[in-house]
Amino acid sequence: MLSAFQFQCHFILIFLAASKGETRYLEVRDAGEDEPFLLLSEDLKRELSAGQVYRRSLRCIDMLSTEGQFTFTADQPQLHCATFFIGEPDELITIDYDFVNIDCKGGDFLKVFDGWILKGEKFPSSLDHPLPTSERYIDFCESGNIQKSIRSSQNVAMIFFRIHQPGNGFTITVKKNTNLFPCNVISQTPSGRFTMVIPHQHRNCSFSIIYPVVIKISDLILGHLNGLFLKKPSAGCAGVGDFVELLGGAGLDPSKMFPLADLCHSFHGSAQMKIGCDNTVLRMVSSGKHVNRVTFEYHQINLQETENRKENSIEEFCFPSI
């Protein structure tokens, strides 16, 4: 049975699943218990001719993985609404306000959040984001026309809005830009391959997979040591400025997840781990002194894999929940 966290996140990814022929759903309790989530009826993957702009209306709770122009018009008071945006791992998201007609003085608001937030948990975490939490919120009612274009720091962003008066609303245009060195990423799919590079930057980067997965690290270059060194959380990589850690848990925020293993030394080969948590995160900590790189692939755990566990798998944590 899906946990509450998986149930929420799978709803957020429903539009991505629909575009790939999958069927998933999610309940976002923050939006209100009675909100109808009958979203499978519309296929968001449209074959658009060159130069054509994709346009459609927004729902109170919505998910966008495509560029285009989107309009929300309240047909009744809408007090708990949110739209989640997600791109490919190497994309940043730009949100432009084309038209806004809301009553800020009457209690309406329209806020952009740089990242995702669910049930009070943020991605990227406060430890990994370049901005303090207060600066990750941009309130239209406070900034007005001063800031009409907002760009995310990673491949996910979202807006919160509240509109009391029927007929009021807004129109936004969503664009995507290439990110040469993707840092914090939420995967759109339960399987894939990715290379994370941090070039002489003092920052922490997390790759989040909202599924129980088998993850295989095939190449790790930390710039300071050679050889494989795998430790459990009790030992960790204390005193090492550059390392990769694997985290597992039942929430969105990597800083609140359980550390499963640390990789402190460079290696070429294969280190495979099986993590049965609702959310799996590969997090690279970089001192900025080296060019650090990690290549890994992952796929969702199936029942047969849970029964045939190998010695190089992390199997004592999270498996009861899947």
Side-chain angles (χ1 to χ4, degrees):
M1 180 177 292
L2 292 175
S3 71
F5 172 77
Q6 285 179 300
F7 206 50
Q8 292 174 332
C9 291
H10 288 165
F11 170 75
I12 294 174
L13 297 177
I14 185 174
F15 294 103
L16 311 176
S19 70
K20 299 177 186 299
E22 300 175 14
T23 55
R24 292 191 174 277
Y25 55 91
L26 165 78
E27 176 186 41
V28 179
R29 297 185 181 275
D30 287 343
E33 296 290 344
D34 299 325
E35 187 69 33
F37 300 130
L38 303 178
L39 304 176
L40 279 174
S41 60
E42 183 179 12
D43 184 4
L44 292 184
K45 188 176 183 181
R46 305 291 181 88
E47 297 297 332
L48 299 177
S49 62
Q52 185 177 357
V53 178
Y54 174 48
R55 293 182 173 88
R56 75 163 173 84
S57 299
L58 288 177
R59 305 170 181 85
C60 177
I61 299 297
D62 217 329
M63 173 72 204
L64 296 176
S65 61
T66 60
E67 295 181 311
Q69 188 177 71
F70 306 92
T71 299
F72 182 83
T73 303
D75 57 358
Q76 60 182 359
Q78 298 283 8
L79 307 183
H80 303 283
C81 298
T83 299
F84 296 83
F85 306 93
I86 188 167
E88 296 296 331
D90 62 348
E91 291 178 335
L92 301 175
I93 296 164
T94 298
I95 302 169
D96 293 326
Y97 293 132
D98 299 327
F99 170 79
V100 179
N101 178 30
I102 63 175
D103 184 5
C104 295
K105 294 183 179 179
D108 291 357
F109 62 75
L110 174 59
K111 300 180 182 181
V112 176
F113 181 71
D114 190 5
W116 277 4
I117 183 167
L118 280 173
K119 306 296 285 184
E121 293 202 8
K122 300 181 291 293
F123 183 92
S125 73
S126 299
L127 297 178
D128 296 346
H129 199 278
L131 298 174
T133 300
S134 60
E135 295 183 21
R136 295 171 67 179
Y137 290 93
I138 299 177
D139 190 338
F140 176 86
C141 289
E142 294 179 357
S143 62
N145 291 327
I146 298 175
Q147 191 167 1
K148 297 183 66 174
S149 182
I150 303 166
R151 179 177 290 186
S152 69
S153 302
Q154 60 286 309
N155 78 321
V156 292
M158 65 184 299
I159 59 174
F160 301 93
F161 55 96
R162 173 184 296 167
I163 300 176
H164 290 83
Q165 183 65 37
N168 285 357
F170 58 88
T171 298
I172 59 174
T173 294
V174 177
K175 303 174 184 177
K176 297 177 181 179
N177 309 97
T178 300
N179 184 3
L180 295 178
F181 296 102
C183 182
N184 294 302
V185 173
I186 290 182
S187 177
Q188 295 187 20
T189 62
S191 63
R193 179 182 175 88
F194 187 73
T195 296
M196 181 184 293
V197 180
I198 306 181
H200 293 291
Q201 295 176 333
H202 180 45
R203 64 190 308 190
N204 305 326
C205 298
S206 294
F207 191 98
S208 177
I209 312 162
I210 310 175
Y211 300 89
V213 295
V214 175
I215 185 167
K216 181 169 69 175
I217 300 174
S218 57
D219 188 56
L220 176 61
I221 299 175
L222 294 173
H224 62 295
L225 293 169
N226 293 315
L228 171 63
F229 184 64
L230 175 62
K231 285 190 174 183
K232 298 309 264 322
S234 58
C237 291
V240 178
D242 302 82
F243 62 93
V244 166
E245 61 180 346
L246 288 169
L247 308 169
L252 191 67
D253 193 327
S255 68
K256 299 180 180 180
M257 298 173 71
F258 188 86
L260 300 177
D262 291 348
L263 292 164
C264 308
H265 293 184
S266 301
F267 72 92
H268 300 281
S270 177
Q272 178 173 300
M273 299 164 202
K274 208 176 296 178
I275 303 174
C277 302
D278 296 341
N279 190 11
T280 300
V281 167
L282 182 146
R283 181 172 181 260
M284 177 177 280
V285 176
S286 180
S287 66
K289 299 178 181 179
H290 311 283
V291 176
N292 295 323
R293 185 180 72 193
V294 60
T295 297
F296 57 95
E297 58 186 88
Y298 54 95
H299 67 267
Q300 189 172 7
I301 293 175
N302 57 44
L303 181 60
Q304 183 178 2
E305 286 173 316
T306 62
E307 295 173 349
N308 300 321
R309 302 176 182 176
K310 299 179 181 179
E311 292 181 358
N312 63 342
S313 298
I314 303 299
E315 60 182 57
E316 72 276 12
F317 188 74
C318 293
F319 272 95
S321 67
I322 66 173

